Amino acid sequence: RSHLHAAGHICILKDAFMYESPTEIANLTSTDKFDAALAIHLYKAGRLLQGSEIPFGIIFGGTDVNEDIKCEEKHRVMGAVLGEARFAVAFTMKMKELAAAEWPDARKKIYVQTQGIKTTPSETFDWCRFLQNADIPMDTGSLHMFLLICGLRRVKDPLYLVDVFSDWHRKDPSVHLGIIGPAVDPLFASEIKEKVERAPGVHLLQEMPQDDLHAAMKRCFAVVNSSISEGMSAAILEAMDLDIPVLARNIPGNAAIITHKETGLLFSDPQEFVVLSKSLMNDPIMEREIVTRAKDYVKKHHSWESERKAYQDLVLRL
């Protein structure tokens, strides 16, 4: 949104979950005299723009092309939406190829633009209070705090590492795992809460403003991603930008931005996660090399300025 505001557009952000049908969006756009729309997620938001009277573009979310594509009805709707869109944005070439294989006629209108990253860690963040609120003792010698940042929903699989991490914590009390993010699926969020309460060393943390979250990330040992499916994880890229090592589940969306043992570590099962975490803890030279290469990678491939220019140019097509 800030990219579009900077170009002089007035940009109103609406949550797709608040609307049931294209008619509701049509009423909104005609009442408030919108000139164009930009939908994030080909199915969840895109379906609301079917038959739209205003021009629109689409940004693929990740789960649309990776998961929703497998459902026949969603596939049909997404194809129709893509047919009407002026353009679509994929975060990676692989994501573009997946979409183009399903809807060949749309190939020419799909652009590849990686996510741009800008981190803004708060200067006034209180790390001691953060640990206190999470009930993490500060006298554990050298604390190793791992942070899993995600919306609490099944596709992010935040419970994937809980058991193995808890077992590890029993043997080494210095390791702690914090899970933090909005309760996107409230029912699942309460399931997570219940499980975490019975898992020593694992903590469900309060959501916090982004600049505080960036400051917390800077104080952590590593950032973790355990998603089943991922478009392009902003949390991974932000960790790289903040000089924090990343351990991520070996899935296509994560492997597209992490080269194993070069810019981060990829694990295929919970046991491998622990093995790789220990190797990172015991090898500060490897850790420093990974962090340095990861920072260079983000600077080169995830420039915030390049992203801004790309979206400002694309919106002119509307």
Side-chain angles (χ1 to χ4, degrees), residues 146-193:
F146 292 74
L147 204 55
L148 173 57
I149 304 157
C150 66
L152 304 183
R153 53 196 175 110
R154 291 188 191 279
V155 75
K156 298 293 183 181
D157 209 2
L159 296 176
Y160 185 62
L161 299 168
V162 168
D163 289 337
V164 77
F165 203 98
S166 213
D167 288 345
W168 181 24
H169 171 81
R170 285 186 186 97
K171 297 180 191 107
D172 178 358
S174 82
V175 296
H176 289 262
L177 173 65
I179 301 171
I180 188 165
V184 181
D185 176 343
L187 203 66
F188 183 50
S190 59
E191 204 180 297
I192 295 166
K193 190 170 184 283

Side-chain angles (χ1 to χ4, degrees), residues 101-241:
E102 298 297 325
W103 303 290
D105 293 349
R107 177 182 285 276
K108 285 188 175 147
K109 64 166 80 166
I110 303 174
Y111 297 82
V112 176
Q113 174 57 47
T114 57
Q115 283 196 70
I117 290 299
K118 190 182 200 180
T119 53
T120 53
S122 160
E123 298 287 323
T124 55
F125 176 71
D126 189 334
W127 175 243
C128 296
R129 180 173 292 173
F130 172 79
L131 294 177
Q132 221 171 353
N133 291 343
D135 279 333
I136 296 170
M138 291 172 61
D139 56 354
T140 49
S142 53
L143 171 71
H144 292 95
M145 182 74 187
F146 292 74
L147 204 55
L148 173 57
I149 304 157
C150 66
L152 304 183
R153 53 196 175 110
R154 291 188 191 279
V155 75
K156 298 293 183 181
D157 209 2
L159 296 176
Y160 185 62
L161 299 168
V162 168
D163 289 337
V164 77
F165 203 98
S166 213
D167 288 345
W168 181 24
H169 171 81
R170 285 186 186 97
K171 297 180 191 107
D172 178 358
S174 82
V175 296
H176 289 262
L177 173 65
I179 301 171
I180 188 165
V184 181
D185 176 343
L187 203 66
F188 183 50
S190 59
E191 204 180 297
I192 295 166
K193 190 170 184 283
E194 216 173 284
K195 172 103 177 172
V196 165
E197 278 169 0
R198 299 193 307 272
V202 182
H203 315 265
L204 189 57
L205 307 173
Q206 286 291 312
E207 235 191 304
M208 55 173 73
Q210 194 173 36
D211 51 353
D212 281 346
L213 182 60
H214 288 163
M217 286 162 80
K218 270 180 84 82
R219 298 295 301 266
C220 286
F221 175 70
V223 164
V224 181
N225 178 295
S226 58
S227 298
I228 294 165
S229 173
E230 195 69 74
M232 180 172 283
S233 165
I236 287 179
L237 295 170
E238 286 165 356
M240 289 173 157
D241 192 52

Side-chain angles (χ1 to χ4, degrees), residues 144 221 245 261 265 275-291 293:
H144 292 95
F221 175 70
K261 292 192 174 173
L265 297 169
V275 170
L276 290 170
S277 297
K278 286 177 177 174
S279 71
L280 197 62
M281 283 162 63
N282 295 327
D283 192 343
I285 293 169
M286 175 175 82
E287 183 200 350
R288 201 160 50 244
E289 286 173 352
I290 283 176
V291 159
R293 284 190 292 257

